[in-house]
Amino acid sequence: MQSNPGKPRVFSGIQPSGGLHLGNYLGAIRNWVRDQDKYDNIFCIVDLHTITVPQDPAALRENTLSLAAIYLASGIKKEQAMFVQSHIPAHPELAWILECFIPMGWLERMTQFKEKSGRERERSSAGLFAYPALMAADILLYDTRYVPVGEDQRQHIELTRDIAQRINQRFGDVFTLPEPMIQAAGARIMGLDDPEKKMSKSLAGDTPGHAIFLLDPPDVVRKKFARAQTDAEPAVRFPAGAGVRNLLEIYRTITDKAWPAVEQEFTGKPYSVLKSAVSDAVIEALTPIQQRYREIRADDAALMRQLRGTADRLTPIADTTLQRVQHAVGLR
Ligand code: TYM
């Protein structure tokens, strides 16, 4: 199953762990959509990663379908390969082999684990600790060249390269080395309530004003931006403080404007002008996505058929890599 055979392979994924926010959209999906014709793409819904922290089973099933619908509604073409991670057993199988070659110290250094486990380190699941091995398996199974993600995933892709290199050095050329593809704009969107913290699904659960969700109706988007943290100045000045910079970053990313143009547009303007401009731009981008989302969700059976069909077609590709690794290490 190849969407654009002969073009460089792109692989990326998002966790179906609840509503998608503007950070996921600007840091990842929007770039996948824009560049989809340049690459041979595989877009994954990484449900096995999601169960590394407790999930309600019905919610996980719903979030998985919802995320697939968001991919398509955002503009991923139907012919692109989009599938659910748990539908292809080679992912956890390869992850296990990789885990046996990854030193504990490498995993201990991962900032996402430190952040997610927090003070509950001893009670966190072993899955949360081993998470980067599964992510490396996702990427390496498809001989991926580029991994388009937000800035927070860079460390995981570096670990993926390290483990691939380690295995290649020991057993010969088993893996293709992937590279992160991180854009200059939108790669690290911050929380609206606290611009020192990255916009994240987990913080969004605790504070309603933290994140804009892709399915938020226009009045909610406006209200959230209206309450977004700015700074003590009466109007926009450059260099701007963290809150204002974040609003400007959202604005310039979603409108594809260059920094000088954005500076000129807002210098000396009251924050209300900036907030209403960023609300308008975000609502304009989200409205058609929300419309298409509702249309797609009207036929969940068709969506599930598409996901299953793609997994069936990708399985032989994943199995070929898995068998190559199994042979290299002596398992077959
Ligand atoms: P996840 O589900 O946390 O996030 C999905 C994508 O959104 C990006 N992102 C952001 N970008 C900008 N600003 C933010 N505030 C922001 N928050 C999230 C993430 O960088 C990511 O691109 N481990 C991955 C999922 C994964 C994966 C993979 C990705 C599993 N296997 C293989 C690529 C390749 C994760 O938890 O993403």
Side-chain angles (χ1 to χ4, degrees), residues 77-129:
K77 294 180 188 163
K78 221 177 158 198
E79 61 268 24
Q80 302 292 351
M82 170 182 92
F83 78 105
V84 178
Q85 187 185 34
S86 66
H87 293 181
I88 302 189
H91 288 248
E93 281 191 58
L94 177 59
W96 174 258
I97 297 175
L98 298 180
E99 273 165 52
C100 296
F101 290 89
I102 298 178
M104 293 272 283
W106 291 9
L107 294 174
E108 267 158 9
R109 280 198 291 277
M110 294 292 110
T111 49
Q112 183 168 305
F113 175 71
K114 289 187 207 157
E115 280 166 14
K116 281 202 174 181
S117 59
R119 270 173 281 132
E120 300 287 297
R121 195 178 186 283
E122 293 304 309
R123 267 187 276 170
S124 304
S125 71
L128 188 65
F129 187 65

Side-chain angles (χ1 to χ4, degrees), residues 11-17 21-29 32 44 46 49 85 112 116 131 134-136 138-139 147-153 156-157 186-190 198-201:
F11 184 102
S12 200
I14 298 183
Q15 296 193 51
S17 50
H21 56 64
L22 208 50
N24 302 128
Y25 181 66
L26 297 179
I29 301 188
W32 307 353
C44 190
V46 293
H49 279 113
Q85 187 185 34
Q112 183 168 305
K116 281 202 174 181
Y131 179 116
L134 180 59
M135 178 158 164
D138 298 339
I139 295 167
V147 189
V149 286
E151 183 59 47
D152 62 339
Q153 296 301 314
H156 286 155
I157 299 167
R188 191 170 169 81
I189 301 297
M190 310 308 281
K198 184 188 70 170
M199 188 178 281
S200 80
K201 288 180 213 149

Side-chain angles (χ1 to χ4, degrees), residues 6-310:
K7 296 193 173 167
R9 167 68 44 78
V10 151
F11 184 102
S12 200
I14 298 183
Q15 296 193 51
S17 50
L20 241 66
H21 56 64
L22 208 50
N24 302 128
Y25 181 66
L26 297 179
I29 301 188
R30 189 169 177 272
N31 304 321
W32 307 353
V33 171
R34 189 193 49 229
D35 294 338
Q36 62 188 317
D37 294 330
K38 290 196 229 157
Y39 301 106
D40 184 9
N41 309 287
I42 303 179
F43 300 122
C44 190
I45 294 156
V46 293
D47 56 347
L48 294 172
H49 279 113
T50 304
I51 62 165
T52 56
V53 296
Q55 299 294 324
D56 171 66
L60 179 57
R61 274 186 282 273
E62 160 58 24
N63 290 336
T64 299
L65 273 179
S66 171
L67 183 52
I70 291 268
Y71 283 5
L72 295 174
S74 301
I76 297 293
K77 294 180 188 163
K78 221 177 158 198
E79 61 268 24
Q80 302 292 351
M82 170 182 92
F83 78 105
V84 178
Q85 187 185 34
S86 66
H87 293 181
I88 302 189
H91 288 248
E93 281 191 58
L94 177 59
W96 174 258
I97 297 175
L98 298 180
E99 273 165 52
C100 296
F101 290 89
I102 298 178
M104 293 272 283
W106 291 9
L107 294 174
E108 267 158 9
R109 280 198 291 277
M110 294 292 110
T111 49
Q112 183 168 305
F113 175 71
K114 289 187 207 157
E115 280 166 14
K116 281 202 174 181
S117 59
R119 270 173 281 132
E120 300 287 297
R121 195 178 186 283
E122 293 304 309
R123 267 187 276 170
S124 304
S125 71
L128 188 65
F129 187 65
Y131 179 116
L134 180 59
M135 178 158 164
D138 298 339
I139 295 167
L140 297 174
L141 272 177
Y142 301 95
D143 291 322
T144 301
R145 283 287 297 127
Y146 300 113
V147 189
V149 286
E151 183 59 47
D152 62 339
Q153 296 301 314
R154 186 189 292 278
Q155 197 186 31
H156 286 155
I157 299 167
E158 274 160 14
L159 184 135
T160 303
R161 286 175 64 86
D162 289 345
I163 182 60
Q165 265 166 326
R166 193 184 170 98
I167 290 180
N168 283 354
Q169 264 158 20
R170 180 138 172 222
F171 300 105
D173 277 345
V174 179
F175 291 124
T176 301
L177 288 192
E179 279 171 44
M181 203 154 65
I182 298 170
Q183 303 295 323
R188 191 170 169 81
I189 301 297
M190 310 308 281
L192 299 185
D193 61 327
D194 179 357
E196 302 301 329
K197 295 205 173 104
K198 184 188 70 170
M199 188 178 281
S200 80
K201 288 180 213 149
S202 46
L203 291 177
D206 303 335
T207 325
H210 173 76
I212 304 280
F213 291 108
L214 297 197
L215 299 180
D216 275 348
D219 57 320
V220 174
V221 172
R222 275 189 209 289
K223 217 179 285 164
K224 286 179 176 174
F225 277 123
R227 287 204 206 115
Q229 196 182 309
T230 46
D231 39 42
E233 300 274 328
V236 179
R237 300 256 176 279
F238 292 91
V244 174
R245 217 175 331 119
N246 191 40
L247 294 176
L248 291 163
E249 175 73 1
I250 293 171
Y251 181 77
R252 72 129 179 172
T253 308
I254 212 152
T255 58
D256 285 317
K257 289 188 180 170
W259 267 122
V262 170
E263 277 202 34
Q264 210 179 7
E265 192 173 342
F266 293 107
T267 299
K269 296 272 162 61
Y271 294 139
S272 58
V273 170
L274 169 61
K275 286 179 166 183
S276 112
V278 71
S279 300
D280 288 346
V282 167
I283 290 166
E284 193 184 320
L286 297 190
T287 303
I289 295 178
Q290 295 174 357
Q291 240 152 25
R292 283 194 296 268
Y293 176 83
R294 283 190 290 272
E295 286 159 24
I296 295 163
R297 287 308 305 267
D299 192 353
D300 282 350
L303 193 55
M304 195 37 107
R305 263 199 312 279
Q306 182 185 341
L307 292 168
R308 286 273 174 200
T310 305

